[in-house]
Structure formats: structure tokens, C-alpha cells
Amino acid sequence: MRDMTSKGPRSAATLIGVVFGVSLAVAGTALQAADATPESGAAPARPPTQRLQDLVPGATLGEPQPTPVDGIFRVGIDGNYLYLTADGLHAFTGDLLDLAAGQNLTEMRRNADRLAALDGLPEDALLILPAHGEERARVHVFTDSTCPYCQKLHREVSELRNAGVTVAYIPFPRAGLQGPGYQELRTIWCSEDRAAAFDIATGEAPGTLPAYAGNCPAAAAVDTGYRLGEAMAVRGTPTIVLPNGGVLPGYVEPGALFERLWRE
């Protein structure tokens, strides 16, 4: 069973997909180097991106990067990618596949970028629920205590921990940086015992949270988590990031999550 609570409007990357309307099939993934610069000669000149920027003036474009395909460059755009020809006049969306190796090069790049972003997140910005006994895996979960499927997942966290899975919650207010959900997450992150406060907020423990007690330095983690989710193209809660950087959007029951984790 999989479900998730959406956070609202999609990013410019989705707009680009609509503009160009091209999508390629997705193959299996692997976490290893996904880029290749031509073996001989200097790196190719990067294509101009002005025409692309003109189409989505509010989007943040990354520097074009070469791919294994001559004349095709990968461009990051608001947490996703598209591909641009060397002259900057044509672009397409979708995933670039290495058919010989059976690898999805685009997804491998996304995975590596997610792991790099998570590595830059200080542990004190998280709510970490450690594995019981030896840690076999760690998952990061973008969560919102007011989200019903986040609450359902939280009720099953003890099963995950008993199996050796550490759960690291990243606060991600699905309605944005305002409203009751945002305030509640700030209150939780300001609590002396975040885990206990999260249990109360999700109905796993009796008690009530203060009406609003989110004015403390630690509450900045909620803003940080939201912006990180935006940069990683998180669309709703819960969103589970696996140890290899892959993503499971929405609620996933423990058995299915174990199957994915032990397969990695």
C-alpha cells in the first residue's frame, strides 16, 4: 500500500516536462558513477542556457554537464534534470539509459545528489530513532506530524527499529512554511525530548503539546528540512530516502520496506 499527502504546486521541472512533452522509459538503478566525459581531448564547451532560462524565468538552472552521449548535456533544474543539445536550442526531459549496462544514468545521478545533500544536514537537525541492537540500515524520512500516513508510518517505527533500521526524521511541513503543521513541527523540534513530543503529536502517547512553543534556535531545522525537500523535489509526506539515495514516495508497509532494504 502506498499513499502520500501532497504539498501543493509542482516545481519548474514539471513545467519543463509539459513544455517539451518527451519522456523516456525507466530502467533499473545502481549507485555508481553515472557521468562520462569523452575519453579524448578537452571537455566539450558547455551549451548556452539562456533560451531555456527564458522559458522558466523563476527556475534555478545548474551548469550543463557532459553525458556519455556526444552533444547532449545534463542540466539540473529545481531538483530534477533535463537534457540540452550542444547548441542550446533543443531540450528533452526523461531519463538517460545505458542500454548496454542496463543502468538508468539519470536516476543514479539523482541518488548521488540526494546522498550528498543528506550528508550536509547536521544530525541535530533530525529526529533520530536508532535501531535496537546492531544497525543494519538507516532511512531518512521527510515527515509531517499532522500527515495521516506519516502517523501510520510512525506507529510502525518500532517494527523497523527492532529489525535493525534507524529512522531519521526530517521535518517537512507539507503546507509550507506557515500554518498549524509548520508550527507543530517547530514546537516538536524545540522540545527537550523530540521523540516524546512527536509521539504526543501523532497520537502515540497521551498528553498535549503547548499551543505554540516553536521560538527557539532548534526550530530553524524545520525551515532547513523544508528547503532541503524542495531542492530534492519532495512532493509530499512521507517520503523515504533509502541508504543508496533512492526514494520511496508515500507510505510503505514494513514488509515491503524490508524487502527493498535487504535487496540493496
Side-chain angles (χ1 to χ4, degrees):
M1 179 179 181
R2 179 174 293 180
D3 205 339
M4 68 192 301
T5 306
S6 174
K7 60 159 285 292
R10 295 181 176 234
S11 70
T14 300
L15 176 59
I16 286 292
V18 173
V19 170
F20 293 104
V22 179
S23 177
L24 300 180
V26 177
T29 62
L31 184 60
Q32 55 187 347
D35 297 320
T37 301
E39 294 180 1
S40 61
R46 291 187 171 93
T49 57
Q50 188 57 53
R51 287 178 181 267
L52 182 59
Q53 188 72 76
D54 289 344
L55 284 173
V56 281
T60 301
L61 300 183
E63 283 290 324
Q65 300 296 327
T67 72
V69 183
D70 288 344
I72 300 295
F73 292 76
R74 186 188 71 247
V75 179
I77 175 169
D78 287 355
N80 216 318
Y81 297 105
L82 56 72
Y83 292 91
L84 191 64
T85 55
D87 58 10
L89 299 180
H90 298 85
F92 63 90
T93 61
D95 287 3
L96 183 62
L97 310 181
D98 183 333
L99 299 182
Q103 295 172 348
N104 182 331
L105 302 183
T106 307
E107 187 60 23
M108 291 164 62
R109 184 71 260 160
R110 291 189 193 105
N111 291 353
D113 286 350
R114 291 185 195 110
L115 292 178
L118 291 175
D119 283 345
L121 195 62
E123 292 224 337
D124 61 6
L126 306 170
L127 167 51
I128 298 177
L129 303 174
H132 295 149
E134 182 181 356
E135 180 180 287
R136 299 180 63 191
R138 174 180 288 216
V139 296
H140 289 79
V141 182
F142 286 90
T143 191
D144 182 334
S145 54
T146 67
C147 154
Y149 279 96
C150 297
Q151 296 169 2
K152 180 176 176 61
L153 178 64
H154 188 62
R155 289 195 292 271
E156 297 164 348
V157 160
S158 59
E159 185 176 349
L160 302 180
R161 298 173 71 187
N162 288 336
V165 178
T166 291
V167 177
Y169 281 146
I170 303 170
F172 185 80
R174 55 203 167 107
L177 301 179
Q178 59 184 353
Y182 173 63
Q183 294 177 353
E184 183 169 283
L185 284 171
R186 287 178 63 91
T187 295
I188 292 169
W189 254 251
C190 284
S191 299
E192 185 174 344
D193 187 336
R194 287 182 192 169
F198 200 89
D199 283 345
I200 291 172
T202 56
E204 283 301 287
T208 57
L209 294 177
Y212 177 60
N215 290 320
C216 74
V222 179
D223 297 57
T224 299
Y226 180 78
R227 294 192 179 100
L228 176 64
E230 287 275 278
M232 292 172 59
V234 170
R235 294 284 170 257
T237 54
T239 292
I240 302 170
V241 184
L242 300 171
N244 73 344
V247 164
L248 299 176
Y251 166 79
V252 179
E253 61 92 19
L257 181 55
F258 292 147
E259 181 180 352
R260 180 68 182 267
L261 287 171
W262 309 152
R263 192 174 71 218
E264 299 296 342

